[in-house]
Amino acid sequence: MVRKKKNTMNTKARNLIAEDNPKSPIAEQYRTIRTNLQFTSVDHELETMLVTSAGPSEGKSMTTANTAAVFAQQQKRTLLVDADMRKPTVQYTFRIQNMLGLSNYLAGTQRVKDLVNTTHVDYLDVITSGPVPPNPSELLGSHKMEQFINEAKQHYDMIIFDTPPVLAVTDSQVLSNYVDGVLLVVRSKQTEKEAAAKAKEKLDQAKANVLGVVLNDQEITSSSNYYYYYGQ
Amino acid sequence: MEETISLKEIFEVLKKRIWMIISLAVGAAALSALITFFVLTPSYEASSQFIVNQSQDQSQNAAYDINDIRTNVELINTYNVIIKSPRILTEVSDELGLNMTAGQLADKIQVGNEQESQVVNVTATDTNPQRAVDIANTVVNVFKGEVPQLMNGVDNINILTEAELGPNPAPVSPNTALNIAIALVVGTMIGVGLAFLLEYLDNTIKQEEDIEEILGLPVLGVVSTISEKDLPKKNPARGRAKVSEIRGESVGT
């Protein structure tokens, strides 16, 4: 990370800003998202959620990782699960091996404890996707998935799933049945209005509890006040 | 979509695509300059003038009779037609060896008199400055010779000015400055139109308001574009200086 970096998708995707630069306004924005997420569920606490988007490369993985990190910073035991078995990325963000992961649990007899990777972020553990299976949607919809969530809940306060795009595959729709809420990521100037509406429609069809939207990559204009913050 | 467009929004749209607009305008101007210089053939103008006057033997005294003048002025209309008639022009064409029909030659000639005066302007336009001069002069000369025959002996044509070839004849058309100015304006207009068209066709979500409007979902947060200064200077958490894995970005899954 010492090398000169260009502001590209790749570096962003592998950046855990909320942890690496917690004083940055970006980290503050993730903390705002955390706060708002906690306020979305009034009657029972939000314990499991998944992050998805309408199309590819809209910032799901980055949002997932940073949201997980800010939950962990609150000293909540947080588990980040890479449920995107089509194009897993979590291992890049945290620089870990993707030898064992979620697919091993769903298709085998592993235990959650055995699959967990610790990270350099306190209170944050990660389970990667595992070897890419031929039938991700079926695995995610299986009884094993429910079992996985129940088992993980015993060890963690907050479980966040990174998932594939809604419009591409049905995985996130399937998984949305097992989690408390769904967070939809929208990338400014990239997500088309129709696509976003269609994604919401698909999630609604799956009876998902869509908590809300995160607007990603919003251009900073001089008039926006997102960049005002105290201290540095 | 019911939308009110404020002046500010219009300004924003233009500002966003200002380079596109500028480059279109400059490009159009450059293109028109190139076409003007290299494609269009320049054409030159030459004018000769003659005066329509009663010959000396008809008017004994030098005092002008107003009726004479009026007659002359009205004659001019007749002369204008005569000048452009094949009878005159074929002879001009033969004399200069132009290989042109009277019609073609007529297109190169403009005849007009200056505001009710007795002076008639014959202006010839040609791609060759020398030929323009020749045509203007020959037309007037041939006409002067033909008039007595046509008008039953009336000889009231006096040549006032002969067309001359200047040392540096400037082409009258194409007007380079005007063409470039027109192209500049047209290019700017196309650019502005295109800017608004692109803005209109761009149906991506841009702001929080769009989300609330389209999805009816609460916006839980906004993450700004990550800039260089948001990234940590160095990473104390991991002492790794090298990035080993590169994430491959592909579209689709």
Side-chain angles (χ1 to χ4, degrees), chain A residues 65-84:
Chain A
N66 282 292
T67 309
V70 290
F71 271 111
Q73 284 167 2
Q74 260 191 339
Q75 304 196 342
K76 281 190 161 213
R77 290 169 304 162
T78 310
L79 176 65
L80 196 167
V81 184
D82 194 350
D84 185 349

Side-chain angles (χ1 to χ4, degrees), chain B residues 9-74:
Chain B
E9 278 171 357
I10 290 174
F11 185 68
E12 283 293 325
V13 170
L14 293 181
K15 204 171 76 173
K16 198 166 79 180
R17 305 208 192 269
I18 189 75
W19 288 114
M20 185 190 78
I21 295 167
I22 289 174
S23 55
L24 262 171
V26 171
L31 189 70
S32 94
L34 284 176
I35 289 175
T36 307
F37 279 121
F38 297 110
V39 181
L40 298 179
T41 44
S43 56
Y44 298 85
E45 254 182 23
S47 293
S48 61
Q49 294 173 315
F50 61 85
I51 195 159
V52 180
N53 215 340
Q54 294 294 18
S55 46
Q56 284 302 311
D57 59 318
Q58 280 174 311
S59 54
Q60 296 301 321
N61 49 358
Y64 276 109
D65 182 358
I66 191 74
N67 287 328
D68 286 350
I69 295 177
R70 186 161 301 155
T71 311
N72 288 332
V73 170
E74 275 161 19

Side-chain angles (χ1 to χ4, degrees), chain B residues 148-175:
Chain B
Q149 283 181 346
L150 290 167
M151 308 287 288
N152 303 325
V154 180
D155 182 13
N156 57 358
I157 306 292
N158 290 309
I159 293 175
L160 179 68
T161 325
E162 287 223 336
E164 277 180 5
L165 184 63
N168 278 322
V172 285
S173 92
N175 186 334

